[in-house]
Amino acid sequence: MTPSDPRPRVLVAGGGVAALEVVLALHERTAGTLRTTLLSSADRFRHRPISSYAGLAGDDGRTVDLARFVAEQGAGLVCDRLTAVDAAESAVLTEHGGRIPYDALVLATGASPREGLPGAITLGAPHDEAALAALTARVRAGTVGRLAVVVPAGVAWSLPAYELALLMRHAAPAGATAVEVVTAEVRPMAVAGDEFSDAVSALLARRGVRVTTSTWPDAVDEGRLWLPLQGAVEVDAVVALARSVGPSLPGLPCDAHGFVLVDARGLVRGERRVWAAGDVASHVVKQGGFAVQQADAVAEDVARHLGLEHLSAVAPHPPVLRAALLDGEDTLYLRAEHVDGTIRTAVSGTPLWWPPTKIAGGRLSAWLAAFQARDGGAAAGSELLGAGGA
């Protein structure tokens, strides 16, 4: 705080879904009582929940000018990259030599994709987008006989692998392409519970997608997928999910993969003024719907610690898992939450939340819809997923 402006300084680092959710949640909870600044390496935000599928599913790739976004929230914008945190002095260091002080810091810088399997196309990696687009064109032309989609060991949120397999199967001419998912999981989507897994497995079976579990290939080489027990399996193409790594930020406690260690409320371990939300935090599941819930919990905790909401021992809100699985024909909606020590799951072909966006919950989806409506965009609401929405 400064004598000229006594409002607490909140710095939100990041330019993705979690960062924007934090800014929106802070504004809603404490409008006018904070000096919020967004620190982002980019000056624009591209909302792209399904654009990594190379045109297999509709995606308008809507883009938002961050200066306009923060202005509407009464916040400021600094375009630079965070490189280190000096928690003892309550300041961050940036790539261009800046030093920004804070009274509260929220890290929402995300994770970086790394190669999931040597020799495979990596889903979600920018450098492999052209290769995935070329593969999609070959699948549609019927020239790919066998396609494998791989979930490497250590990847907890595997839904994109099953979604890609279903979309590729739908895109291929009838009988042209055999699609198989090879996963290190004991069963598809095991992290979400048995009922969730059963629903995904049943859909895969109906669409003719084969699944091999408890297997993690070694590499792809010259049209062969090398499996530890089966040996070489002939394939025409292989796509693997990326392995996520964190930024290993100097000055903060991080796990072996570079993710910032946090408690259930998102407060960084051993710190009193630093929080983390989204993929940068050491949560096992990296998923957009979880990220927006984490952002809201962090904003609530920041407000309490700054004395703007009642500071009490409020129990963390149990996360609710919401996932929309596209298969090229329809959308399968799945919802799972812990209730009385068990996982309660709902599965439906009709929306289980509203609006039925790919990244469910939070404030950003509503803000984006209003943003496009104000701009007269014909694509307003085009992220909504309904029957045949893929």
Side-chain angles (χ1 to χ4, degrees), residues 141-163:
T143 60
V144 178
R146 185 172 185 184
L147 169 65
V149 182
V150 174
V151 181
V155 176
W157 184 248
S158 58
L159 185 138
Y162 300 107
E163 194 161 54

Side-chain angles (χ1 to χ4, degrees), residues 31-192:
T33 58
L34 295 176
R35 276 193 294 158
T36 303
T37 300
L38 182 68
L39 172 63
S40 171
S41 59
D43 63 357
R44 292 180 178 274
F45 163 71
R46 184 183 176 200
H47 190 53
R48 54 192 306 270
I50 52 179
S51 62
S52 61
Y53 294 137
L56 288 165
D59 178 54
D60 62 6
R62 64 186 70 173
T63 301
V64 174
D65 184 336
L66 287 179
R68 176 176 175 179
F69 171 81
V70 297
E72 288 193 11
Q73 315 311 316
L77 175 67
V78 174
C79 289
D80 205 342
R81 188 184 303 275
L82 184 149
T83 57
V85 176
D86 185 351
E89 297 295 327
S90 298
V92 304
L93 308 180
T94 70
E95 188 174 58
H96 295 142
R99 182 180 179 85
I100 306 175
Y102 61 81
D103 296 301
L105 169 64
V106 180
L107 300 168
T109 52
S112 299
R114 293 291 184 268
E115 182 181 65
L117 178 69
I121 298 170
T122 302
L123 179 64
H127 62 270
D128 274 359
E129 287 181 355
L132 184 61
L135 173 60
T136 299
R138 290 172 55 207
V139 168
R140 285 185 166 138
T143 60
V144 178
R146 185 172 185 184
L147 169 65
V149 182
V150 174
V151 181
V155 176
W157 184 248
S158 58
L159 185 138
Y162 300 107
E163 194 161 54
L164 177 67
L166 288 163
L167 292 171
M168 285 289 194
R169 177 74 173 172
H170 178 72
T177 304
V179 181
E180 179 177 358
V181 179
V182 181
T183 178
E185 305 162 291
V186 295
R187 59 186 307 183
M189 294 299 301
V191 71

Side-chain angles (χ1 to χ4, degrees), residues 271-339:
E271 301 295 336
R272 295 185 301 166
R273 296 184 175 186
V274 185
W275 290 258
D279 289 357
V280 72
S282 57
H283 303 287
V284 173
V285 176
K286 312 293 184 184
Q287 193 248 4
F290 273 179
V292 299
Q293 293 174 74
Q294 293 158 15
D296 186 64
V298 163
E300 181 181 22
D301 210 46
V302 168
R304 287 203 306 271
H305 279 75
L306 292 175
L308 301 175
E309 288 191 2
H310 181 59
L311 186 59
S312 59
V314 178
H317 305 298
V320 178
L321 177 60
R322 301 178 182 91
L325 177 58
L326 310 176
D327 69 359
E329 298 179 22
D330 299 298
T331 302
L332 183 66
Y333 295 90
L334 304 108
R335 185 180 189 275
E337 61 183 319
H338 276 278
V339 179

Side-chain angles (χ1 to χ4, degrees), residues 241-266:
L241 295 192
R243 298 178 188 270
S244 295
V245 297
S248 297
L249 282 170
L252 293 178
C254 297
D255 65 16
H257 302 289
F259 298 110
V260 180
L261 296 170
V262 297
D263 67 13
R265 294 183 177 83

